[in-house]
Amino acid sequence: METIFTKIINGDIPSYKIAENEKFYAFLDINPNAKGHTLVIPKTPVDKLFDLDEATYSALFSYARKISFAIEKVVPCNRIGLSVIGLEVPHAHIHLIPLNSMQDASFSAPKTKMTHEEFVALAEEIAENVI
Ligand code: 5GP
């Protein structure tokens, strides 16, 4: 099933892109738990993460690891947390969240507000650090 994430991958709706390759796409979450909150998704529209074929599943985590290093270089944080939820968008994705407190890991805590300009600048800076 196609979701809003397919439209983002195809460029039909805009996103603050960090990186992509043939199989994966990484972009800033529009409603972040913390600055630098990033979503890493497979381009194939599979709903549940654990339903991905094993090769794609493993490669998605490798790709997320690479993106996490770039986020960690740019965003002051104690570490990068990883969550998998999927209750809102039924297209498999990994949340990478810079953590400074347990609250940053909470999806029911108040979200971080960022301006369009802040999103653009942050995405660019993280993108520049993806090796
Ligand atoms: P989940 O499906 O894991 O519960 O949550 C989906 C996540 O995707 C949420 O953190 C939400 O803020 C994010 N999200 C939903 N729609 C969009 C969108 O159109 N653009 C971006 N960048 N993020 C989105």
Side-chain angles (χ1 to χ4, degrees), residues 4 8 27-31 39 85-89 93 95:
I4 193 151
I8 286 175
F27 58 110
L28 292 177
D29 193 299
I30 202 72
N31 200 15
L39 301 175
I85 314 288
L87 289 172
E88 185 185 328
V89 181
H93 52 281
H95 294 261

Side-chain angles (χ1 to χ4, degrees), residues 5-19:
F5 286 178
T6 299
K7 293 193 173 78
I8 286 175
I9 293 162
N10 294 337
D12 295 333
I13 67 165
S15 67
Y16 301 108
K17 181 173 118 176
I18 288 170

